[in-house]
Amino acid sequence: MSSASLRLHPDFTIAPVNRRTFGSFVEHMGRCVYTGIYEPDHPTADADGFREDVLALTRELGVSVVRYPGGNFVSGYRWEDGIGPVTQRPVRRDLAWHGLETNEVGIDEFARWAAKADVEIMYALNLGTRGVQEALDVHEYLNHPEGTHFAELRRSNGAKEPHGIRMFCLGNEMDGPWQTGHKTAHEYGRLAAEVARALRSAEPDLELVACGSSSSAMPTFGAWEATVLELAYEQVDAISAHAYYEEHDGDLGSFLASAVDMDHFVDSVVATADSVGARLKSRKRINISFDEWNVWYLSRFENAERPTDWAVAQPVIEDHYNAADAVVVGNLLISLLRHSDRVTAACQAQLVNVIAPIMTEPGGRAWRQTIFHPFALTSRLARGNVLRVEPQSPTYDTQRFGDVPVLDAVATHDPQSGGVTVFAVNRDVTGPVDLTVALSDLGSLAVLEAWTVGGDDPYARNTADDPDRVRPEAMGSATVAGDTLTASLPPVSWCAIRLGPATPPTQTR
Ligand code: AHR
């Protein structure tokens, strides 16, 4: 039996929990939009054609912000195709995913969906085939109140109020040779700076995200960020990071340590951004928008045959997740929370059907994939400030990352309510880990709820017929005695333990 420990202190805060850490992503890709969020013929469709079953699951997931409309799709997208009378909208080829885009859903429809789902929109601009003028035009359509060409066009299309979008991504993965309109770091950095400057002339306080590398494995990783930021440092607020993880060749131990890679990724981008800031003698700090992250069995996609016909809403990268994937997703959220001082937004990619926590059948059922659960619990339970914890843990050897701690953890503390939540993973495939948490600096606490996700079979999945095969199980082992929390984490598991002030016993005479 291995054991691990940590100590919590309310003064050791990293930063407040950013609600934007719990972002998601809706791309016009595969079945994310069509038969995902939107399916007018579905039995649960509302008056706008949105699936109410998916809306309910989105709310339950606890999503705060949704990046839209792509992804690779956005780099060839003409936003004007998606406005005005639906019957007059053109059908276009989508070069990114080799599909047909009917444009039935455009920004006005998506904004209606976002209001129903109670999420903020993070809008991605096309800087692949387009530039400064089109960015200004779509910004005017989205955010200008009234009295100008595009603002009046929006109003005549039924959206009287501006959509009020605060966050704009300046393109998508422009370092990737697969990207329509791919650019060198210098070409992109100049364009990003010019677009940002123009947008700020219209609305100075927008939050603008420059494209970082599409993965830390890109040959230009680091150099790309440095060049782009040298050219656009004072114009942007954040730089993006994208990372996808998968189990390679049955190496579960390395896969379970994916968060080690995410930690390193974030630390590398922060170091690069800060070194540019130092060279520029700037006091400004560039944050990270980790606006694509997830488990994605990318190697299966790379080895699979690509669609050759042009079709609408054909299934693309519909990964079916297992319990180990859920543990990794829970751990990646721990990593993102741990970096809350610099990672100010993050989007799990994507929301529905396409590498997603929510799956649907066209015309049929919707269900929660395994990875739904750690996201929903972390979004619900992470409150207040993120606490710095320094776990003492045994280590294990991994092929990809060397020696890695068996236990990883983070905690949040809400100074208002006195509530504390501990999020932890046991990456050990061979046995449980006994966790001891010293709480003496937090007053008298009791366990209010404790959940674990993982369970007996790391390869168990949820399906439409068996949607609850993997779900959060109550964690009976979590108890507080005096000022110490103890819990036993099963092998390959993630857990969330919420504590609150222990109510003093009622005095009776
Ligand atoms: O999320 C799927 C794809 O992954 C996105 O379109 C792209 O930005 C990334 O490479």
Side-chain angles (χ1 to χ4, degrees):
M1 174 78 69
S2 60
S3 53
S5 63
L6 53 99
R7 164 172 222 98
L8 301 184
H9 193 294
D11 290 349
F12 296 166
T13 62
I14 294 171
V17 174
N18 300 308
R19 289 319 297 168
R20 281 181 177 160
T21 304
F22 307 107
S24 188
F25 179 29
V26 168
E27 176 165 7
H28 283 253
M29 171 181 177
R31 298 194 311 112
C32 189
V33 173
Y34 305 110
T35 74
I37 64 167
Y38 177 80
E39 194 176 355
D41 297 334
H42 191 270
T44 71
D46 66 11
D48 290 317
F50 296 121
R51 286 182 64 148
E52 299 253 27
D53 54 351
V54 173
L55 271 170
L57 286 172
T58 304
R59 289 186 211 104
E60 183 187 322
L61 189 59
V63 172
S64 54
V65 60
V66 176
R67 186 166 176 249
Y68 176 84
N72 295 343
F73 168 82
V74 83
S75 297
Y77 181 54
R78 302 174 223 212
W79 66 272
E80 310 90 319
D81 290 347
I83 59 170
V86 172
T87 51
Q88 291 169 27
R89 296 185 189 176
V91 174
R92 300 271 191 199
R93 293 177 307 183
D94 163 26
L95 298 182
W97 304 107
H98 212 88
L100 285 189
E101 175 54 53
T102 63
N103 285 303
E104 274 172 86
V105 172
I107 184 57
D108 292 325
E109 288 78 20
F110 187 71
R112 281 206 288 280
W113 179 85
K116 292 175 197 208
D118 195 19
V119 299
E120 178 189 358
I121 299 171
M122 177 192 295
Y123 191 83
L125 296 163
N126 173 359
L127 295 193
T129 59
R130 303 194 126 185
V132 180
Q133 186 59 63
E134 294 91 343
L136 282 171
D137 292 349
V138 69
H139 170 267
E140 182 184 322
Y141 188 87
L142 295 169
N143 281 8
H144 199 82
E146 58 187 337
T148 66
H149 173 74
F150 284 114
E152 289 305 320
L153 189 55
R154 182 197 68 238
R155 287 165 60 80
S156 69
N157 288 336
K160 298 286 177 219
E161 296 302 320
H163 294 310
I165 289 169
R166 306 316 316 149
M167 262 187 104
F168 285 83
C169 303
L170 304 173
N172 176 70
E173 295 190 349
M174 297 311 304
D175 63 322
W178 57 85
Q179 203 70 216
T180 308
H182 160 240
K183 293 175 175 44
T184 65
H186 194 268
E187 288 164 346
Y188 171 70
R190 285 278 303 121
L191 179 60
E194 289 312 323
V195 170
R197 226 188 302 270
L199 290 173
R200 288 204 196 283
S201 317
E203 213 178 348
D205 60 349
L206 295 174
E207 295 172 53
L208 303 176
V209 183
C211 289
S213 297
S214 45
S215 108
S216 61
M218 293 297 285
T220 49
F221 176 62
W224 171 276
E225 281 78 359
T227 303
V228 168
L229 287 176
E230 269 157 22
L231 293 163
Y233 199 88
E234 294 303 336
Q235 280 74 45
V236 302
D237 301 288
I239 186 145
S240 70
H242 291 180
Y244 293 102
Y245 298 97
E246 66 182 303
E247 183 181 339
H248 293 276
D249 308 320
D251 181 6
L252 182 56
S254 295
F255 176 50
L256 289 166
S258 297
V260 170
D261 183 74
M262 184 182 254
D263 287 341
H264 186 62
F265 189 168
V266 172
D267 294 344
S268 307
V269 176
V270 165
T272 306
D274 289 352
S275 90
V276 174
R279 281 206 298 279
L280 296 176
K281 303 196 168 27
S282 174
R283 294 201 161 259
K284 180 177 172 177
R285 222 165 55 151
I286 298 288
N287 290 319
I288 297 180
S289 172
F290 216 121
D291 46 42
E292 285 189 37
W293 68 269
N294 205 352
V295 171
W296 175 7
Y297 286 83
L298 189 53
S299 52
R300 286 183 206 153
F301 169 70
E302 282 166 347
N303 297 329
E305 285 195 11
R306 304 295 164 88
T308 49
D309 54 335
W310 297 93
V312 178
Q314 51 194 336
V316 189
I317 57 168
E318 298 199 355
D319 281 352
H320 294 270
Y321 292 111
N322 61 39
D325 298 330
V327 173
V328 169
V329 162
N331 201 169
L332 295 174
L333 283 161
I334 288 173
S335 171
L336 291 169
L337 281 172
R338 173 164 48 236
H339 291 100
S340 293
D341 53 338
R342 297 303 286 266
V343 177
T344 47
C347 302
Q348 190 184 35
Q350 300 186 3
L351 180 67
V352 194
N353 292 326
V354 178
I355 46 170
I358 300 170
M359 288 300 289
T360 69
E361 294 170 326
R365 299 167 284 184
W367 67 99
R368 299 167 191 82
Q369 294 233 57
T370 59
I371 62 170
F372 183 100
H373 298 296
F375 190 106
L377 280 165
T378 309
S379 176
R380 180 167 70 81
L381 299 178
R383 289 281 179 266
N385 297 323
V386 184
L387 297 186
R388 187 175 305 285
V389 301
E390 299 290 343
Q392 302 297 308
S393 164
T395 59
Y396 70 109
D397 186 38
T398 65
Q399 276 179 40
R400 292 173 88 89
F401 309 114
D403 243 18
V404 162
V406 159
L407 179 117
D408 193 17
V410 75
T412 60
H413 171 242
D414 183 356
Q416 246 91 55
S417 68
V420 169
T421 304
V422 177
F423 302 95
V425 288
N426 176 12
R427 296 161 169 161
D428 194 346
V429 298
T430 61
V433 64
D434 280 345
L435 173 64
T436 304
V437 183
L439 304 167
S440 54
D441 299 297
L442 290 157
S444 175
L445 295 171
V447 174
L448 302 183
E449 56 184 312
W451 302 101
T452 180
V453 177
D456 47 356
D457 177 4
Y459 296 103
R461 291 160 194 231
N462 295 344
T463 61
D465 291 331
D466 192 4
D468 294 324
R469 169 72 182 83
V470 178
R471 63 175 176 194
E473 305 285 348
M475 195 183 187
S477 68
T479 49
V480 173
D483 53 14
T484 306
L485 163 70
T486 54
S488 177
L489 278 64
V492 192
S493 71
W494 170 93
C495 74
I497 305 168
R498 183 165 77 93
L499 310 165
T503 12
T506 325
Q507 298 285 323
T508 46
R509 283 176 184 263

